[in-house]
Amino acid sequence: MKRRNLIMILAMFSFAVTSAAQTPRPMNFDDVMALKTVNNAALSPDGKQVVYVVGYADMKENERRSELWMVAVDAAKPRRFTTGKNDTAPQWSPDGQTIAFISTRGVGEAAKAQIYLIPAFGGEAEKLTDSKTAVNGFAWSPDGKRIAYVAPMPLTEAEEKKLKDKDDPQVADSNYRFSRLSVIDLESKKAVELTRGELSVSDPQWSPDGKRLSVTGHPTPKADDGSYGDIYVVNADGNDAPRKLFVNDGPDSNAAWSPDGKWIACNSGNRATGFTSYTRVNVVATEGGEPRVVAPAFDYVASNITWSRDGSQLLLSVSQRTTSQLYRVPVAGGEAKQISSGDGVISSASYSADSSRVAFTRADMQHASDVYVATLGSFSPLKLTDHHAQLKNVAVGKSEVSKWKGKDGLEIEGLLLYPVNYEVGKRYPLLAWIHGGPSGVWAQSFPAVSNNFGQIWSGKGWFVFYPNPRGSSGYGEKFVTANVNDWGVGDYQDIQTGIDSLIGRGLVDSEKMGQSGWSYGGYMTAWTLTQTNRFKAVMVGAGLSNNFSMYGTNDIPKYLEGYFNGTAYDNVEAYWTRSAMAHIKKAKTPTLILHGGNDQRVPVGQAQELYMGLKKNNVPVSLVFYPREGHGLLEPRHQLDRMKRETAWFLKYVLGVEETTTASTGN
């Protein structure tokens, strides 16, 4: 009897342990930081193998790392292919025997990003380039004997001496470090520079015969000249100056040569609206001429333009509402046909040499990104990797696409992430998360990264709302330009009416709501706290608070010119009245402000102005700067701090809960 009882007790204990182990738990901060990124999928020319990049956070060294991995399409057993600290951008040689990639191996000066070569069957990587500055893009020649690459101009000896001696005054709009195009021979390792003068180039692409290259050129490397892109053609022998393919208001980019070398497809737009320019896919003769829009009725912006093997079609990656899809469009003109379908986000599509197969990464709101492969005919994706096995015991919230009407009747949509273990009829707290841009878009990617950790909130029993108000991309040209000269009006109302619809559906507790946003999402959140007191707390991340001062201090003033129909000095009232600071006396909402200490896109003064305005009006506020960071947080410890700090802030002011974290919320 004793022995039987002991066996029963052990069996019950074993069952209890097994059940506990299998019971999904809410996601935590460690889960987010441990999550790997999977991207840059590159399919071999024969369509049999995929090399891709796996990134992860090294918390001990406080750095992001990345490695190359390989998976065979017919075996689906991924293996680590390189072990560098920062290996990225893999490309197969035309014969499929070698892989080139960019890596920052080495120490000190030797750690500048260079091109490395490694046999496709494995082995030691060999450094190919020895550029004095970091290589930031490259392309194999069609015969596999040369590689074209782009790197900024190095300092002269005199400039290096001045820098070493700290005799280094910086004069505005001068001494640009233009990015140059070079070609290196793989056998001799001799590199020849092909572009000179005042032209900064990127995205090298070879002609099929290997005699010419196309590049996207800008007059300066300044971010503000981003809307001045043009396509240039360069002789591979470097004997002639780059030739502009066609004259256009711009911006032009994303060039791709036809298989016969007679045509170039590219994205082309109209600079009349500045950074709000809407591009469409065009083809133009390689000898020059007028570009022709391939599918005038196709109202989506395409990327990753690829010609089919026979040159009759263009294969496109397209952001479409809250998804991203693959399309094909006849070069001769006609209707674009959708290849892929369903929910989720398809990224880094890469095609076999015969255009019969495509590899890509895919994610959705419940699944992190992994590598897939499919044939273009039937398109039934086969999942090849599973880099997120640790999430199998983590509970995630379900999601849906939510639609509602704006105040003017315009249909708006967004994404809604439900609380884990949601119960029908029960109202829950809400966090509204506003995207940047404003021409960004919330797509169905996995919300468990440091800048969108919605699954953390879902696990805590909150709804997370991701609205795509007017001005968002993925909904056509009319929609993306609908907030030109209208910041803080139509887009603000779209967000608020979306929240109203969730309250009206009986989902959200209107007394327990918060709002968070970064960049333009930060602007919209700063604006919101001066327009309504419906939120118990907000977080303003790298947000604009004063459009007038922002115009004169940030690195892309043309961006604001496009949205406000001119400069701040010609439209003082428009810039000022659509700024949070113009209405700061009305603000009462407890506000957490987070900002990169070296942000040039939205300078730190924007955070300081908002902080001072709230402080002087006795509004609970905390301002946190992250040293060394630009417009986004890159260091893992800063990313972790942001998540903990922001979570503690909302729990404290929305629910009245003090959560113990290593981050101090301040007052």
Side-chain angles (χ1 to χ4, degrees), residues 193-196 211-212 233-243:
E193 189 174 87
L194 300 188
T195 60
R196 302 170 186 84
K211 295 180 179 180
R212 295 173 292 177
V233 175
V234 185
N235 287 336
D237 58 16
N239 289 335
D240 295 316
R243 169 177 58 88

Side-chain angles (χ1 to χ4, degrees), residues 405-458:
K405 296 287 187 180
K407 283 195 172 182
D408 58 359
L410 183 66
E411 182 180 85
I412 312 296
E413 73 174 23
L415 297 169
L416 183 64
L417 182 62
Y418 277 69
V420 170
N421 299 322
Y422 166 73
E423 298 177 21
V424 177
K426 181 179 177 181
R427 291 182 181 268
Y428 292 82
L430 171 76
L431 180 61
W433 218 313
I434 316 304
H435 68 63
S439 58
V441 64
W442 286 123
Q444 297 177 41
S445 56
F446 190 52
V449 290
S450 60
N451 60 350
N452 174 14
F453 45 100
Q455 289 290 0
I456 291 281
W457 288 108
S458 175

